[in-house]
Amino acid sequence: MALNSSWSTTARNAAHASGLTPEYAGAKFRGYSGTRPSNADAALSGNTLLFEATCGTPAFGSPSAGLATANAITQDASADATGTCTFVRVFKADGTTVLEDLEVGTTGCNVNRSSTSIVSGQPVSISSWSHTVPQSGT
């Protein structure tokens, strides 16, 4: 027997409203250089923290069709280090509980920026971010 569930739009939106949205309130977007860990539970290893931006409270607006778009994300006014940002690790507002890792690039990634280059002391912003609960999967 195959594992292939399918969610209704109502359930997908509820997953955001009751589960994801509260977890992400005030979340920390920390950009790192180096190799992305194999999963969000894996420890960082040799990665350099480049910047930290902060999600709003609430983090997302009302979801539609399983898609929630983030409210304004507060920029890091002064990047911590210079380097190429390869991934973002998202932490709860407590700064220690990991929520997820996101791929960073200039197109087709979870976080798209005009450049992945970060310069120490320069401001770093995330102009937009969205999160989707898929309609089907395992």
Side-chain angles (χ1 to χ4, degrees):
M1 182 183 300
L3 297 174
N4 191 8
S5 62
S6 179
W7 292 43
S8 71
T9 298
T10 300
R12 293 165 63 207
N13 290 341
H16 276 295
S18 65
L20 292 175
T21 297
E23 293 294 309
Y24 284 83
K28 309 296 182 194
F29 259 65
R30 293 184 181 153
Y32 292 93
S33 65
T35 303
R36 180 178 168 181
S38 59
N39 62 66
D41 291 320
L44 297 171
S45 178
N47 304 101
T48 300
L49 174 64
L50 301 173
F51 69 88
E52 178 180 287
T54 306
C55 288
T57 301
F60 296 101
S62 297
S64 177
L67 173 73
T69 300
N71 291 322
I73 298 171
T74 303
Q75 76 174 6
D76 184 335
S78 179
D80 298 275
T82 297
T84 300
C85 186
T86 54
F87 70 100
V88 166
R89 179 160 277 189
V90 183
F91 293 83
K92 286 179 72 167
D94 65 14
T96 60
T97 305
V98 177
L99 294 171
E100 69 179 305
D101 286 347
L102 303 168
E103 199 74 24
V104 175
T106 56
T107 184
C109 293
N110 302 114
V111 177
N112 295 309
R113 295 182 35 84
S114 59
S115 171
T116 57
S117 295
I118 305 297
V119 178
S120 179
Q122 296 297 308
V124 180
S125 62
I126 306 293
S127 59
S128 67
W129 176 57
S130 61
H131 200 285
T132 303
V133 173
Q135 187 169 26
S136 61
T138 56

